[in-house]
Amino acid sequence: MSNDIAFQSVKNLRSMLQRGEVTPVELVDTFAERIERHNPQSKAFITTTIDTAREQASRLSRGDLNGSSFAGIPYASKDLFDVQGVRTSAGSRVFHDRTAKKDAFAIAKLRAAQAVSLGKTNLHEFAYGATGENEVYGTAVNAYDPTRLAGGSSSGSAAAVAFGLVPAALGTDTGGSVRAPAALNGLVGFKPTIGRVPTSGVVPYCWTLDHVGLMTRTIADCADLLTIVSGYDPSDSASVNRTVENYPEALDQDISGLRVGIPSNFYYERADNEILEALERVKEYLVASGAKLVPVTFPDMEHSRTVSLTVQMPEALSAHSAYLQERGDLYSADFRAGLALGQCILAEHYVKAKRFIEIYRQQTNRLFDQVDLILTPATPEIAQKVGTVKVTRNGVNEAIGNAITRFTTFFNMTGHPALTMPCAMHTQGLPIALQLVGRYFDEMTVLRAAHAIERSDQFSIPLPKVDP
């Protein structure tokens, strides 16, 4: 029964539960067996909570299964999310003894929806990095080719869903850390508008740019999960008190008349030709479906990554200053070097970078006077080999982490909702993905367009060849 369940959507699993074809405990046991079998290779999980999950599942009645769209559904969360009574390691030796006293906001919402947590997933230490390489817990790998990176920093969440260990997972996204690994692993990855899903109870990396993100197999599952975890928390200064929409309602509306922005600069430059060709096919499909393509020009992006890092590193240093004094020797050399960089950034530079971000937000907002959505490639490269340090494209050498997130980082600074999803397979047997970006709090339109693309067979991709 393992593979019959492992790669099903949440929607299909829910139907199976409601029809009595499988029980919540059987679901837990099936995924638990897969975790035991595949985690040594995938390195997806740091901590599992199978006994607690089985106990929770056993308490669910048939009536409960007719409630929330995630009732009885197993899921996992990046090991930055606090789950009451469970260690939150943040992928580091520093937090080896940190047990959560209460649930993070998103976890509490899922618990109330009677979803079943199977554990905490691997990540780049403290979310500092886009490769997912972790010297303590190992490096999560790509389900389509385990010699390649899953991508990070939400590497374990991507691997967990892609290997069929859970049907959905939570991650965090500060520069693309949900969207990029989702793209590299053939999944849906969604970073909602900043403030749509509170970050309360999530170990911070950079308060200005941190977002909670979602990983699922399908757009419908993503819409259901977003409806559950969205909300307002006054303890989170970035949280916005807005009505939570019923996101699945938007999915079946057509996209005729939708204005889709196509960037004339940056986003279609220095990328794998097969990725660019796949995006051309997406454009053609959108036009055939009644959408209108509109050229748009982004702000000058020359210094955008520098702006992001100039905000990230001082904020990370601030978050870790006390731990550095008490447990500095437990940090990896990689993260210590990043924090040292934060010490070298002057307050003047930080303030200027924050002003740049505000300008980016204003300029990008004005683009949405002309369009309803923006379409870009998700990444300029497919998943690279584990251990890759740099990639070369059009004669330009680029650090692998910068390459993975080159097309995603900007939208953490602007805070707009951005979704990545598969749209083709590369001749090297790896997924290619697109990115859709919408207006603030217009997740409905992003999901509607994504679902329209997903419905076309020409953009479906095969599942990874993972053993039962």
Side-chain angles (χ1 to χ4, degrees):
M1 188 168 63
S2 176
N3 268 13
D4 292 337
I5 286 177
F7 294 98
Q8 294 290 339
S9 67
V10 170
K11 186 176 182 180
N12 286 348
L13 290 175
R14 185 184 185 219
S15 295
M16 293 170 69
L17 285 167
Q18 290 175 332
R19 291 193 299 264
E21 296 173 14
V22 65
T23 69
V25 172
E26 287 172 338
L27 270 191
V28 169
D29 287 343
T30 298
F31 285 113
E33 289 168 8
R34 290 186 63 83
I35 292 168
E36 183 177 3
R37 194 159 52 250
H38 292 290
N39 205 55
Q41 179 187 42
S42 70
K43 299 293 191 294
F45 280 84
I46 289 176
T47 300
T48 57
T49 52
I50 305 303
D51 289 344
T52 303
R54 192 177 288 116
E55 180 184 352
Q56 181 186 350
S58 70
R59 294 197 303 266
L60 293 174
S61 68
R62 291 294 295 273
D64 291 332
L65 301 179
N66 291 318
S68 148
S69 58
F70 265 68
I73 300 296
Y75 77 96
S77 54
K78 185 177 185 176
D79 203 8
L80 293 177
F81 287 80
D82 281 345
V83 177
Q84 186 176 12
V86 180
R87 181 184 63 167
T88 303
S89 78
S92 177
R93 296 184 187 91
V94 176
F95 280 4
H96 67 90
D97 56 355
R98 183 184 185 275
T99 300
K101 296 179 180 178
K102 60 182 289 189
D103 288 336
F105 181 93
I107 301 297
K109 295 278 278 186
L110 280 161
R111 192 185 296 275
Q114 297 181 308
V116 180
S117 172
L118 296 190
K120 315 288 285 300
T121 57
N122 203 352
L123 65 152
H124 212 115
E125 184 182 21
F126 286 112
Y128 176 65
T131 63
E133 291 164 302
N134 189 304
E135 66 180 38
V136 181
Y137 297 106
T139 297
V141 296
N142 195 293
Y144 285 87
D145 179 352
T147 70
R148 293 176 183 263
L149 294 164
S153 63
S154 304
S155 51
S157 292
V161 180
F163 273 88
L165 311 185
V166 285
L170 297 179
T172 62
D173 193 311
T174 305
S177 292
V178 161
R179 287 164 292 151
L184 299 179
N185 288 272
L187 306 173
V188 175
F190 197 13
K191 177 197 78 66
T193 306
I194 192 166
R196 177 67 292 180
V197 182
T199 57
S200 321
V202 180
V203 176
Y205 168 57
C206 172
W207 294 284
T208 298
L209 306 178
D210 287 347
H211 297 62
V212 169
L214 324 175
M215 288 191 199
T216 60
R217 297 195 185 287
T218 69
I219 300 300
D221 290 352
C222 183
D224 280 331
L225 183 54
L226 181 61
T227 302
I228 290 170
V229 300
S230 295
Y232 173 63
D233 185 349
S235 71
D236 175 5
S237 60
S239 184
V240 178
N241 191 0
R242 263 180 98 101
T243 301
V244 176
E245 297 178 270
N246 185 3
Y247 296 107
E249 286 184 349
L251 298 186
D252 292 324
Q253 299 172 19
D254 71 45
I255 58 171
S256 180
L258 208 62
R259 300 170 300 166
V260 180
I262 307 298
S264 57
N265 60 323
F266 189 76
Y267 283 99
Y268 289 84
E269 300 169 1
R270 207 157 41 87
D272 185 307
N273 283 335
E274 291 189 41
I275 293 175
L276 297 178
E277 289 166 4
L279 266 290
E280 288 303 311
R281 293 192 290 273
V282 174
K283 293 176 194 176
E284 291 169 4
Y285 173 77
L286 291 172
V287 170
S289 301
K292 180 182 179 182
L293 305 185
V294 180
V296 294
T297 302
F298 268 81
D300 182 359
M301 308 289 263
E302 182 181 358
H303 302 297
S304 59
R305 184 169 293 278
T306 300
V307 169
S308 178
L309 288 172
T310 303
V311 171
Q312 285 181 39
M313 299 326 302
E315 292 195 7
L317 177 64
S318 175
H320 287 270
S321 56
Y323 302 115
L324 276 172
Q325 293 179 17
E326 299 167 2
R327 303 181 172 192
D329 59 321
L330 298 181
Y331 285 93
S332 68
D334 179 44
F335 193 45
R336 277 203 308 272
L339 295 176
L341 175 62
Q343 292 176 314
C344 298
I345 294 172
L346 301 178
E348 175 189 6
H349 300 151
Y350 176 80
V351 171
K352 282 184 177 179
K354 294 278 280 191
R355 291 179 66 184
F356 261 106
I357 288 175
E358 184 55 37
I359 291 169
Y360 288 155
R361 288 176 176 173
Q362 293 173 7
Q363 291 176 329
T364 305
N365 254 351
R366 285 197 286 271
L367 296 181
F368 287 101
D369 294 336
Q370 310 166 47
V371 298
D372 304 302
L373 286 171
I374 293 167
L375 171 68
T376 79
T379 62
E381 305 289 341
I382 55 173
Q384 300 295 298
K385 294 284 187 180
V386 174
T388 299
V389 176
K390 291 188 176 182
V391 294
T392 302
R393 177 70 55 188
N394 299 349
V396 178
N397 291 323
E398 187 174 22
I400 178 61
N402 292 355
I404 289 172
T405 57
R406 192 186 337 139
F407 294 158
T408 55
T409 297
F410 185 77
F411 299 111
N412 289 88
M413 289 188 282
T414 69
H416 291 87
L419 178 147
T420 59
M421 61 179 289
C423 61
M425 288 296 285
H426 197 277
T427 53
Q428 293 188 43
L430 295 160
I432 291 171
L434 61 84
Q435 178 173 233
L436 291 168
V437 184
R439 294 186 184 91
Y440 288 134
F441 296 101
D442 191 12
E443 283 80 5
M444 297 280 269
T445 298
V446 175
L447 291 164
R448 173 162 59 105
H451 193 242
I453 294 167
E454 183 184 62
R455 283 199 303 260
S456 173
D457 289 342
Q458 67 175 305
F459 302 118
S460 64
I461 66 169
L463 291 169
K465 296 177 180 178
V466 179
D467 292 336

